[in-house]
Amino acid sequence: MTTILLFAVLPLLFLTSVASAGYFLLVLPSRWRLPYEESLALLASDDRDALERADRLLGQAVNEGPRGRALNRIRFAQAYVRAMLGTYEPARYGAAATVLDELIAAEGPTPDTAYLNLWVQARLGNHDRVTDLYREHHALLDARPQSRRIAAVSHLQLAAGHWRRRETDGALHHFDRVRELGELTENIPPEVNDLQLVKGVQAVFDGRTDDARVAFSDARERAVEREMPTVQAELGLLVCDWADGDPAQLGEWLGRLAEQVEHGGEEDGLAEEDRATAGRLRTGIAVLRLVALLREWLAGPALSGAPSADGFEELRLRVDAVRAADPELGDAALVEGLVRYYFALGQPEREQALAVLDEGTELAKGILLPEVLDLMERERALGGEGDALSRYLTLVAELLDDPDRSEEDRAQFRRLKAKFTPFGDPGDLEEGAVVHRRAAPDDHRRRSQALRRRIELIVYPRIRDLPDDAPARRALRTLLDDLDRASGVYAEGAEILHGAERKLITSTGEILLPEEPEESDDQESA
């Protein structure tokens, strides 16, 4: 009986097992395998409807309950198709990232999932996340060259953000990573090829000299490591030492930098932008060398006098270097003109200095300092000693025609006119209206003030170079004071005022045309 039962049950159990195995191994997998395989055929399409259908099929496959590696394959396909749909609907990138996070948490990163995650995070604009992913999984990603390009794009984006916020160290870090990746290096802006220089310049403008010195030192080390010129970093270090450095040593340092720039500018194949940079450096170095020479003169002993002939020759050489570097820059004319004006020994040298300044105002980047332009305008108004003699003759002629003058005064003015006529011609000089009628007492005070201004204008070219305690200056001040006092008490007698005016006119003539002692004695005896 037992044997019969076994023969009856065993085939039934066998059939049941076969049916169960067929159900779990064939029927159930077919529920998710069929939509999964159908979706794979749609993934290669760029059509949005096809991708939407693939996403629905993959969702259906997941709902059928696959397990293990089968579920992971379906999830990867689902993440991929949602990433593709992100082209049409950016929100799908977030859905793809969610699926990838679940997949990577379940089976760990693989070359495929790591690359797709890198791509999706880049599309989401999570550039920090992209750079972190590449750093963590570069061993998996290096097999795909495109992954380096994705990482380089993110580093460039982060560098630009740091640069806009003036975070130089952060921008420099990401630009260096781009160079290490070897992708998109042509997108690194040439002007920030070494941001340590920019960091140093910002520190200089902010007054942080110590930070600037560190930045320029780092820039010099980086340039040496990359076998690039160090002129800009050296110039930055020189600027840090400019305030307290020895002017002579600074000038020598600038001379060496000028030679380096000249050597670099003569190299064959130098790019146009590099030549422009070299030109700007050449100009800046030449101007600083010129200013360093002035500082060297200022550092000399007090009251040491004008520079020597060798000093003026060095000034000429450095001025010529500025003009050679930038012919349209007015700084060379500004410095040379003011120096020669300050140390001029007479009117001819002063006029030469003014000619240099005038030439500097006609350049494209000419002299614009209001103080210098005002100085030039005043010098043109004053004229030279010839103009002073002409003005003096005009004044004497007016006083000679004044009906208020006594015969003694007229005789003195006639002698002065005869004496100065051979040396000056009043010509068409306009000195204002001349009144030839008897003036009221109140008018004399105003006339005296006008006379004072005219005398100061006449004698200025002759006494301008004299020290304050010179006899001519003291005498003129005394006579002008007498004129003011006499004008104040004119109500007590016009003769006092006329006498003061006569003395002032006579003394002015002696300043303009001094006589030798012998001639003076002869005239007195005559």
Side-chain angles (χ1 to χ4, degrees), residues 146-165:
Q146 190 66 20
S147 62
R148 290 197 298 273
R149 194 173 189 85
I150 294 173
V153 169
S154 292
H155 279 297
L156 284 174
Q157 293 289 339
L158 293 172
H162 284 293
W163 179 247
R164 284 192 297 269
R165 296 189 297 272

Side-chain angles (χ1 to χ4, degrees), residues 355-511:
V356 173
L357 291 172
D358 189 66
E359 180 183 355
T361 60
E362 299 175 357
L363 300 176
K365 294 174 281 188
I367 300 172
L368 298 176
L369 289 175
E371 297 84 355
V372 178
L373 298 178
D374 181 67
L375 169 66
M376 297 169 62
E377 183 178 354
R378 289 176 180 271
E379 287 291 342
R380 292 191 190 99
L382 289 172
E385 295 185 11
D387 295 324
L389 292 171
S390 298
R391 290 190 181 98
Y392 183 73
L393 276 173
T394 302
L395 176 61
V396 170
E398 291 178 7
L399 293 176
L400 188 59
D401 294 338
D402 188 352
D404 286 339
R405 300 294 169 178
S406 64
E407 282 300 322
E408 182 182 357
D409 288 351
R410 291 174 186 274
Q412 177 67 16
F413 293 148
R414 280 193 293 269
R415 287 193 295 271
L416 291 173
K417 182 177 180 180
K419 176 180 178 181
F420 281 91
T421 297
F423 304 100
D425 180 12
D428 298 329
L429 287 178
E430 296 182 1
E431 295 289 349
V434 179
V435 180
H436 296 297
R437 60 181 178 81
R438 295 190 176 275
D442 291 341
D443 293 335
H444 283 282
R445 184 174 291 102
R446 290 191 294 271
R447 189 180 67 177
S448 297
Q449 294 174 356
L451 176 64
R452 179 190 182 99
R453 289 194 296 270
R454 292 178 67 180
I455 291 296
E456 291 173 343
L457 181 66
I458 289 170
V459 301
Y460 179 72
R462 179 56 65 90
I463 69 171
R464 66 193 303 169
D465 297 323
L466 299 178
D468 290 338
D469 58 349
R473 280 184 176 270
R474 292 202 305 269
L476 181 62
R477 284 197 297 268
T478 301
L479 292 172
L480 289 174
D481 292 340
D482 291 343
L483 177 65
D484 292 339
R485 286 192 295 270
S487 176
V489 298
Y490 179 73
E492 300 177 3
E495 186 63 27
I496 300 175
L497 177 62
H498 289 172
E501 290 179 347
R502 183 179 65 254
K503 292 179 181 179
L504 179 60
I505 297 300
T506 304
S507 178
T508 300
E510 294 175 354
I511 292 174

Side-chain angles (χ1 to χ4, degrees), residues 322-331 360 362-367:
V322 176
R323 289 197 175 101
D326 190 348
E328 295 300 325
L329 185 65
D331 294 49
E362 299 175 357
L363 300 176
K365 294 174 281 188
I367 300 172

